[in-house]
Amino acid sequence: MGTIYVARSAAFSEWASDVGLSKHVFKVGYTDDPADELVKTGWAGADDWTLVRKQAADGVDEAELIAKLARKEKLIDPNYYPRLKGVSGFFKVAPEHVENSIFVA
C-alpha cells in the first residue's frame, strides 16, 4: 500500500517568493516507502521539508496524480528552474485556495 503526500518547506517557500512564484508552494507525490522518511531527504536544496498531509492509496500512478492536480493548481515547470533539477510535483497554490482551506479547517 502506497501513500500520497503533500510536503512544504519554509526555505523553499522563501526562495519561491524571491523568484516571483509565490510563498504558497508545495511538493505532491506518491511513494511506496514511508512518507515521513522520504520527506526528510528533501528536495530543491532545502532540508527543512515537513509533511503537511498524507493519505494511504493503492494503485496510484504519480504521473497521473500530478496531471490531475495540474488541472486545478499551477504546476511549476522543473525544467524552467534549475534548482528543481528535473523533479516534478511542485505546485504553486493560489492564495485564495489557501485562505479557503484555512477557513474550512
Side-chain angles (χ1 to χ4, degrees):
M1 170 90 42
T3 305
I4 298 172
Y5 63 89
V6 177
R8 185 169 199 275
S9 164
F12 183 71
S13 295
E14 183 178 332
W15 169 81
S17 179
D18 289 346
V19 298
L21 284 171
S22 170
K23 67 178 185 177
H24 305 291
V25 289
F26 299 90
K27 167 75 170 110
V28 177
Y30 175 81
T31 182
D32 289 323
D33 300 328
D36 300 329
E37 297 299 319
L38 179 67
V39 169
K40 289 179 185 176
T41 61
W43 299 277
D47 58 356
D48 64 338
W49 288 91
T50 57
L51 194 60
V52 176
R53 181 155 299 183
K54 65 181 178 179
Q55 182 175 348
D58 194 22
V60 176
D61 180 35
E62 184 171 14
E64 182 180 317
L65 172 73
I66 290 171
K68 276 180 111 172
L69 186 57
R71 291 184 217 141
K72 193 169 192 175
E73 299 296 340
K74 175 76 173 146
L75 178 65
I76 300 172
D77 186 5
N79 297 323
Y80 188 69
Y81 297 98
R83 184 170 183 174
L84 301 182
K85 299 178 186 169
V87 178
S88 63
F90 292 98
F91 287 88
K92 174 177 114 171
V93 179
E96 299 83 33
H97 294 170
V98 175
E99 291 169 4
N100 291 341
S101 176
I102 292 171
F103 286 142
V104 170

